[in-house]
Amino acid sequence: QVQLVESGGGLVQAGGSLRLSCAASGSIFSINAMGWYRQAPGKQRELVADCTSGGIINYADSVKGRFTISRDNAKKTVYLRMNSLKPEDTAVYYCNADQVYTCQIPCDRPDGYLNNYWGQGTQVTVSS
């Protein structure tokens, strides 16, 4: 019913840049937080950055000053601009939408259920 579709991953050399995009679609009334997580091989999934609908932003310490998250609420899309990439940024990056109210047609009110959704993940590989 709700889908998150990510794009923009790939292979880049250290010091390079990439931009990830994630668009939410489906029977969505509202989304509170949208963000990005990543999971490297053998490691737990960790928060990279997230942004609430009110504009509150959080970054992991490891990406502060290098990554920038932005969000277009009207398009239900979140972006992650990644600069000065390092080999340790290599991971599968997952889009997340949290505290999502879904709705029934004509979608003029929430259906009362809050949900959390994940995208399928996009690989980011940074070579040294």
Side-chain angles (χ1 to χ4, degrees):
Q1 194 174 19
V2 174
Q3 285 189 318
L4 301 180
V5 179
E6 300 133 334
S7 60
L11 173 64
V12 65
Q13 288 188 331
S17 298
L18 284 174
R19 184 179 186 241
L20 305 182
S21 299
C22 170
S25 63
S27 301
I28 299 170
F29 182 80
S30 64
I31 304 173
N32 183 19
M34 295 189 76
W36 294 92
Y37 289 70
R38 67 186 180 187
Q39 187 166 19
K43 294 188 177 182
Q44 289 189 331
R45 190 173 297 189
E46 62 176 3
L47 173 70
V48 177
D50 64 7
C51 179
T52 69
S53 57
I56 298 173
I57 292 175
N58 293 303
Y59 290 104
D61 288 342
S62 59
V63 307
K64 283 180 181 177
R66 299 188 299 123
F67 291 11
T68 302
I69 190 170
S70 59
R71 179 173 168 176
D72 186 328
N73 290 327
K75 294 182 178 179
K76 299 184 181 66
T77 300
V78 65
Y79 307 93
L80 185 68
R81 177 67 180 180
M82 304 184 292
N83 295 328
S84 303
L85 282 160
K86 304 175 181 179
E88 50 264 43
D89 295 317
T90 295
V92 178
Y93 283 69
Y94 295 91
C95 178
N96 178 264
D98 191 33
Q99 297 183 357
V100 180
Y101 272 118
T102 54
C103 55
Q104 306 299 318
I105 294 174
C107 203
D108 58 349
R109 67 189 69 181
D111 61 15
Y113 301 103
L114 278 172
N115 293 285
N116 182 283
Y117 297 93
W118 292 93
Q120 79 284 359
T122 184
Q123 177 70 46
V124 171
T125 302
V126 184
S127 63
S128 58

